[in-house]
Amino acid sequence: MSPAHRPDRPKFELFGDTLSGRVLWLTVAIILVIELIVMLPNLGRERQTWLRDRVAHAHLATYPLEQSGATLSPQAQDSLLAFALDDQIILKEPGQPPLTLSSSHPIPPASCHVVLSDETLWYSTLRAVLHLVGLGGHEIQIIAPSPLQENAMLEVTANEAPLDADLNAYAKRAFAVTVIMALITGLLIFAVLDRLLVRPMRIITTSIINFREDPEQESASDLAWLGNRPEDEISGAARELKSMQDEMRAALWRNARLAAVGTSVAKISHDLRNILSSALLVSDRLQTINDPTIERASRTLVSAVERAAQMVTRTVDFAREGPPPVVRSAVPLYELIEEAALVVRPVDSGVTIQNEVPEALVLPLDRGQIYRVLVNLMRNAAEAGAKIIRVTTESRSGVTRMRVADDGPGLPLRVQDRLFQPFTSSGRYGGTGLGLAIARDLIRAHGGDLVLEETGPRGTVFAMDLAISETQI
């Protein structure tokens, strides 16, 4: 991939109301919450470790008393208790009187009694959290077997102030490590998500914005690069978006060309109609001459001039901007079909038009527009070689659907897919390819649609919805 077509480097937008920033900080927040939840049991273990240390240090502090077998001075006891960070130590051994080390200072009564062997992790965690929120710092009595001598029990009275300090220091260290780990992990996850999700979303969004601002401009190569990635939902969406933009761009180009053609035809239509009117007038005068040869030529000339005028009219009608205006009135559909049949029957005296529409059916329609649609469909069928044309209606779910069916040879397969596109002829000589396109526009202006329902050797059926909300007047 050349540098000109290489996608831009990812932009790490960590702050602001952006998807990148939201992904990062949401990731950091989730990791931080998980780490804090994991840290809570560690606080309980830290408290249990502190309590065991007090018990172990307390037994060590009683060794001089056990060895001397005599009562120590208050100063010596205070020194040993200061070493153990305790206020009072009672050592109980089987068959021996209790040994007691007690501070010379007044000892507050213990507000909490802990049997260390019964202390659970969850209870210790709860007590540790209470220490962190400032509900500790009281006198505590610890009852536990000695870790240094079998069958020896210790009752240790100590102040929880050192425990508060230890837990706060541990919590600060753990929180700092947790924040750092959350940031590092969040950045790593963010980099992966930005590469896999955020950056592709930014490319798709930019492509949509650029297409909205200038739909005729060729799409950027980033969307093509995204579509060529390994198969996943995002690459599939990018390919479909690029395909849609290419099709829309081609359609806009075609419409622009058609608009230019329509503008040009509209400009020359006035002069062309004057020329054709003059030719038609001359042709009518030629028919008054009593000469068989001139009479035959004049009839051919009149037919050619009328067809040319009709082609100009159709082209100008199609070139008009916007949908045709609809002026609705109460239209007896049976009578309208009969009027259209009067125009079509002279095309081929052998054609039979069967009007099977109820005579009482009256719909709010634009009479002139529906008349044009009917004449176009019937005339096409007659010129294609149909001998019987049937017009029927049915009402279902508030929609009146009219069908124009014939027994002609059917439409060629090569034009069926492009039948309603402008300038697509159904195969007959002299057609402009605009009749069906204009007919569909007129029906759609009424809120319905004109569709090819069936075609084949047994005939062709066109169906149209005449009213989205049927109103019988």
Side-chain angles (χ1 to χ4, degrees), residues 234-433:
I234 294 179
S235 62
R239 287 192 298 272
E240 292 299 325
L241 177 61
K242 187 175 186 305
S243 176
M244 182 198 71
Q245 290 181 352
D246 291 341
E247 292 177 2
M248 290 290 294
R249 194 173 291 110
L252 290 173
W253 183 84
R254 288 194 302 268
N255 290 341
R257 296 295 296 270
L258 289 174
V261 172
T263 302
S264 300
V265 171
K267 289 179 179 179
I268 67 174
S269 62
H270 180 72
D271 294 336
L272 186 57
R273 283 176 178 175
N274 290 336
I275 296 172
L276 294 175
S277 297
S278 300
L280 186 60
L281 180 61
V282 172
S283 301
D284 289 339
R285 290 180 178 178
L286 288 175
Q287 287 182 333
T288 61
I289 299 175
N290 191 15
D291 187 329
T293 302
I294 295 177
E295 187 177 351
R296 286 195 301 271
S298 63
R299 284 200 298 268
T300 303
L301 182 59
V302 168
S303 176
V305 171
E306 288 179 347
R307 187 179 297 275
Q310 186 181 44
M311 291 175 63
V312 171
T313 301
R314 287 184 177 181
T315 305
V316 172
D317 288 343
F318 182 77
R320 288 196 181 101
E321 293 184 359
V326 177
V327 180
R328 296 180 183 266
S329 62
V331 177
L333 199 56
Y334 180 88
E335 296 180 5
L336 185 63
I337 295 171
E338 288 297 317
E339 291 181 15
L342 292 176
V343 177
V344 176
R345 286 191 181 102
V347 175
D348 186 346
S349 58
V351 67
T352 300
I353 299 178
Q354 300 176 355
N355 187 356
E356 300 180 7
V357 175
E359 294 186 18
L361 181 60
V362 179
L363 295 177
L365 304 171
D366 188 308
R367 185 184 187 92
Q369 292 182 5
I370 301 301
Y371 175 82
R372 291 179 60 188
V373 173
L374 289 170
V375 169
N376 182 271
L377 294 177
M378 293 180 183
R379 179 176 288 163
N380 286 348
E383 292 178 348
K387 298 304 179 182
I388 299 177
I389 301 174
R390 294 175 63 247
V391 183
T392 60
T393 58
E394 68 172 349
S395 298
R396 182 182 300 174
S397 302
V399 176
T400 297
R401 169 160 287 198
M402 181 166 62
R403 290 183 174 87
V404 178
D406 63 67
D407 61 348
L411 294 171
L413 184 62
R414 58 184 175 81
V415 301
Q416 291 181 21
D417 294 337
R418 302 180 294 110
L419 189 61
F420 294 101
Q421 294 182 7
F423 306 112
T424 300
S425 175
S426 60
R428 60 186 176 88
Y429 175 75
T432 61

Side-chain angles (χ1 to χ4, degrees), residues 100-118:
T100 303
L101 285 176
S102 183
S103 174
S104 59
H105 305 290
I107 303 174
S111 60
C112 179
H113 299 271
V114 176
V115 178
L116 197 55
S117 58
D118 297 337

Side-chain angles (χ1 to χ4, degrees), residues 149-212:
Q149 183 178 341
E150 189 177 359
N151 297 326
M153 293 293 296
L154 286 165
E155 295 180 5
V156 181
T157 302
N159 191 275
E160 292 181 324
L163 175 59
D164 289 351
D166 287 351
L167 289 177
N168 279 283
Y170 175 82
K172 290 179 181 179
R173 292 194 305 270
F175 183 76
V177 172
T178 298
V179 170
I180 294 173
M181 290 180 61
L183 288 173
I184 294 175
T185 307
L187 285 172
L188 292 176
I189 295 177
F190 167 76
V192 175
L193 292 179
D194 185 85
R195 178 74 178 181
L196 297 179
L197 297 178
V198 179
R199 186 184 179 197
M201 185 61 65
R202 188 184 300 119
I203 291 174
I204 292 176
T205 303
T206 301
S207 177
I208 294 174
I209 293 174
N210 293 339
F211 185 79
R212 182 197 64 190

